[in-house]
Amino acid sequence: MNAISRDSLLSLEAYARARADFRSRVIAHKKARTLHLGEHITLIFEDELTIRYQIQEMLRIERTFEEAGIRDELDAYNPLVPDGSNWKATMMIEFSAEDRRRQWLARLIGVERHVWVRVGDCEPIFAIADEDLERDNGEKTSAVHFLRFELPPAQIRALHAGAALAVGVDHPALTAVVEPVPDAIRQSLCGDLRA
């Protein structure tokens, strides 16, 4: 998978014209890349399209048109595009009530290191989390984490051959498993992996 290049981005004016259709396309695309682990953890598996949308939105919101600012956004978001041997996901911890969210974020310290994927009967592959910066402290974790799952070539081949996929979290304060992952999501994720 290729990084998003400066030349491939739309100008602010062109993006303003294309935004409604592009946004609709991305929302539909994300449906086959979003996985709920229980009631309170959601994984959105990122790819070139979801990250391109994020970059274009950040440039629009910040009214960024200068080269240095555009380069900063590309440098910040390009690492979230899978590179053919992995999946990259944004993990969100979601509680609607503020006091409840605060309590759970304190209980879930380290949860990002307890999220895993499993191909067929293989051993689980645990996420490599928050490579850009630490997102928890001694008192609480963040509500958003960035995860990378590195898959060995044999497991990539197994997925392309139809192996089942499971995803879970096994933190002492919260456990959840989706097994098997719905086929539409599994198929979409296989598109991120070079056979």
Side-chain angles (χ1 to χ4, degrees):
M1 311 300 144
N2 296 325
I4 298 164
S5 71
R6 165 65 183 98
D7 295 340
S8 72
L9 294 173
L10 297 174
S11 68
L12 292 177
E13 297 81 8
Y15 185 63
R17 290 189 297 273
R19 183 173 182 252
D21 289 339
F22 188 50
R23 185 174 187 274
S24 295
R25 189 172 124 219
V26 172
I27 289 169
H29 178 72
K30 279 188 174 185
K31 286 182 182 177
R33 301 186 67 82
T34 301
L35 189 65
H36 299 282
L37 292 175
E39 294 180 51
H40 303 291
I41 293 183
T42 300
L43 298 179
I44 300 173
F45 287 90
E46 307 292 0
D47 67 357
E48 192 273 347
L49 181 63
T50 67
I51 296 302
R52 177 178 297 281
Y53 174 70
Q54 184 67 32
I55 292 169
Q56 291 283 181
E57 282 293 299
M58 292 303 294
L59 295 174
R60 181 186 77 82
I61 291 165
E62 296 172 358
R63 301 278 183 228
T64 302
F65 58 88
E66 294 177 356
E67 283 303 313
I70 294 168
R71 177 63 40 212
D72 287 346
E73 295 299 336
L74 287 166
D75 291 346
Y77 286 101
N78 261 328
L80 300 177
V81 178
D83 63 19
S85 67
N86 52 41
W87 290 318
K88 296 184 180 179
T90 300
M91 179 179 81
M92 296 178 294
I93 302 171
E94 302 169 310
F95 288 88
S96 56
E98 176 64 33
D99 59 334
R100 203 155 172 245
R101 180 172 47 252
R102 205 173 22 256
Q103 292 169 352
W104 273 96
L105 291 179
R107 292 177 65 190
L108 289 171
I109 293 173
V111 67
E112 67 277 10
R113 293 182 300 277
H114 291 266
V115 181
W116 51 266
V117 299
R118 186 179 65 235
V119 176
D121 295 329
C122 297
E123 289 295 314
I125 297 168
F126 284 86
I128 300 163
D130 301 326
E131 295 176 282
D132 58 341
L133 59 97
E134 191 63 34
R135 295 185 190 282
D136 62 16
N137 57 39
E139 297 177 17
K140 68 176 186 69
T141 190
S142 173
V144 177
H145 294 274
F146 298 101
L147 311 179
R148 175 170 55 94
F149 301 94
E150 277 300 323
L151 288 102
Q155 291 186 34
I156 292 172
R157 287 190 299 274
L159 282 163
H160 282 292
L165 175 64
V167 178
V169 57
D170 69 356
H171 189 274
L174 189 146
T175 60
V177 176
V178 176
E179 184 174 21
V181 167
D183 196 55
I185 295 174
R186 194 188 76 74
Q187 289 291 337
S188 182
L189 296 180
C190 281
D192 296 343
L193 303 171
R194 282 191 292 268

